[in-house]
Amino acid sequence: MRPIHTLALFATLACAAAAHASDADQHAFLIRHAEAGDGDDPILSEAGAQRADGWHAALGAPELFVVYATPTRRALQTARAIAEDSGAELRQYEHGRLDVLAVELRTVPGNVVVVGHSNTTPELAELLGVEPGEPIAHDEHDRVYRVDLDAIP
């Protein structure tokens, strides 16, 4: 069972994203890939494909410069749906080099989405100065970390 605070966090952050979508500030939206099947490198499930197709709208449809994803099929499928919906560029990053990605995010000239995993998404949030909260549960795919990139030193 999914904790209610996670759903409330998602709703709050999605509303905040929509309210600030036109701001001149640059933001990074950190999310976990959508629901996937089983195996070493599974593709998205039907529910996951639907979630991926709706992510950009759920974030408030901000103008995006780039969408990042790890080279796994589930992350790439999630990111591709967001990139196609928003017209953003799709870039891959190595999940083992989050420190490099954190530095790169500080130099991107626009809003970004980073699609990660249950372990990498909170770690990247922390590298960017955001409290990651509780670990992401295996069945949790709706948490959003919204980072004001302009506020990072």
Side-chain angles (χ1 to χ4, degrees):
M1 180 175 233
R2 192 171 318 177
I4 191 72
H5 73 277
T6 299
L7 295 175
L9 173 68
F10 174 72
T12 300
L13 291 174
C15 290
H20 297 287
S22 63
D23 285 356
D25 294 337
Q26 296 171 314
H27 298 98
F29 301 92
L30 314 181
I31 63 172
R32 181 185 181 197
H33 62 79
E35 295 88 338
D38 295 323
D40 289 339
D41 190 13
I43 62 171
L44 296 181
S45 65
E46 185 176 325
Q50 289 177 359
R51 181 183 301 278
D53 286 343
W55 255 123
H56 186 236
L59 292 172
E63 184 177 327
L64 298 175
F65 180 76
V66 65
V67 179
Y68 290 90
T70 64
T72 61
R73 294 191 308 174
R74 59 197 178 275
L76 283 170
Q77 283 182 283
T78 303
R80 190 172 294 113
I82 297 167
E84 288 174 358
D85 191 45
S86 67
E89 177 186 347
L90 177 62
R91 293 183 191 169
Q92 291 185 36
Y93 71 95
E94 291 300 322
H95 69 275
R97 299 302 318 262
L98 294 177
D99 55 337
V100 172
L101 178 61
V103 170
E104 182 175 337
L105 291 175
R106 292 176 172 95
T107 66
V108 174
N111 295 319
V112 301
V113 171
V114 180
V115 179
H117 303 273
S118 61
N119 59 335
T120 62
T121 302
E123 184 178 343
L124 181 58
E126 192 165 29
L127 285 170
L128 294 172
V130 174
E131 172 58 44
E134 296 178 22
I136 296 176
H138 176 73
D139 63 345
E140 182 182 349
H141 297 274
D142 57 359
R143 187 180 305 187
V144 176
Y145 297 95
R146 182 175 175 270
V147 181
D148 182 351
L149 295 174
D150 293 325
I152 298 173

